């Protein structure tokens, strides 16, 4: 399998149309939190881009494929006693699923995020039916810590949520090997 070339970069206002087009997909929304609007409009994309541009520290990375914004990797820092932790969330336009792109893109984003912040631990919550995302996290080096049974209510039913974590020190060790 030959992987398509991609770039990890900052978001720009020029990405609004592509963001709206690629994120307005029910299959993507089915694997995200309900806070993500669906349908996803250009107004939603514009608000997201404005939010990103207002941040002091980059915590969202655009995945560009074929000169188009086609995905995002975002980090949401925790607060208080958990302030050295961040949750990772990500999505990729459907035409690029199952091609190894997200695994490699997350590695690049993690390297940048760990280098530019004092975060020591990144974690992820994945719905049990999202097998591809579980594989991505395992391929990047995340460890599954447990399964929270019926932890999330999505699309009218309770679903199990797989909980993963990656410590900065483990990520750096894997980079050196």
């Amino acid at each position: 399998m030959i992987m398509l070339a991609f770039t990890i970069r900052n978001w720009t206002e020029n990405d609004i149309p592509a963001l709206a087009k690629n994120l307005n997909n029910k299959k993507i929304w089915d694997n995200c939190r309900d806070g993500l609007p669906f349908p996803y409009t250009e107004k939603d994309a514009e608000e997201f881009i404005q939010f990103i541009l207002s941040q002091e520290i980059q915590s969202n990375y655009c995945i560009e494929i074929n000169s188009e914004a086609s995905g995002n990797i975002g980090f949401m820092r925790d607060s208080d006693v958990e302030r050295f932790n961040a949750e990772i969330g990500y999505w990729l336009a459907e035409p690029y699923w199952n091609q190894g792109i997200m695994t490699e893109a997350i590695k690049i984003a993690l390297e940048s995020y760990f280098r530019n912040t004092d975060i020591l631990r990144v974690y992820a919550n994945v719905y049990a039916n999202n097998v591809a995302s579980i594989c991505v996290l395992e391929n990047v080096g995340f460890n599954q810590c447990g399964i929270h049974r019926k932890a999330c209510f999505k699309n009218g039913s309770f679903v199990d949520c797989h909980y993963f974590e990656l410590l900065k020190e483990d990520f750096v060790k894997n980079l050196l090997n």
Side-chain angles (χ1 to χ4, degrees):
M1 173 176 71
I2 298 173
M3 185 186 322
L4 284 172
F6 68 90
T7 304
I8 299 295
R9 62 169 176 78
N10 294 336
W11 286 94
T12 71
E13 289 179 346
N14 294 333
D15 295 320
I16 291 170
L19 174 58
K21 177 187 88 170
N22 288 317
L23 195 46
N24 189 31
N25 181 325
K26 176 91 167 44
K27 292 178 187 175
I28 293 172
W29 182 83
D30 283 342
N31 291 300
C32 295
R33 295 177 185 266
D34 287 347
L36 177 71
F38 185 80
Y40 196 85
T41 66
E42 283 205 15
K43 183 177 186 297
D44 296 318
E46 183 178 335
E47 288 173 1
F48 175 75
I49 297 293
Q50 291 308 315
F51 169 74
I52 296 300
L53 296 177
S54 72
Q55 292 181 316
E56 288 182 35
I57 296 174
Q58 180 178 4
S59 61
N60 283 273
Y61 299 80
C62 174
I63 302 169
E64 181 182 296
I65 304 171
N66 295 326
S67 302
E68 181 177 77
S70 301
N72 183 65
I73 301 167
F75 298 92
M76 294 146 286
R77 187 180 190 120
D78 289 350
S79 61
D80 198 12
V81 296
E82 297 171 332
R83 64 187 171 274
F84 296 103
N85 298 281
E87 183 176 9
I88 187 173
Y90 46 89
W91 65 270
L92 186 64
E94 187 175 2
Y96 306 115
W97 290 359
N98 300 311
Q99 297 180 40
I101 294 168
M102 188 54 78
T103 297
E104 295 307 312
I106 287 176
K107 289 177 184 176
I108 294 166
L110 277 167
E111 194 279 324
S112 173
Y113 193 68
F114 278 139
R115 184 174 15 89
N116 293 304
T117 69
D118 58 357
I119 292 295
L120 299 177
R121 183 174 158 278
V122 172
Y123 64 93
N125 293 295
V126 181
Y127 306 140
N129 62 328
N130 193 349
V131 176
S133 190
I134 289 170
C135 289
V136 164
L137 292 170
E138 290 172 343
N139 290 338
V140 170
F142 279 75
N143 295 307
Q144 184 169 345
C145 299
I147 299 172
H148 298 213
R149 298 192 51 208
K150 298 186 180 196
C152 301
F153 189 76
K154 185 70 178 179
N155 288 329
S157 62
F158 288 97
V159 295
D160 293 350
C161 189
H162 292 238
Y163 186 81
F164 289 83
E165 71 175 10
L166 178 63
L167 297 176
K168 179 179 184 175
E169 62 194 51
D170 294 337
F171 180 74
V172 170
K173 275 189 236 175
N174 287 339
L175 279 180
L176 298 174
N177 291 335

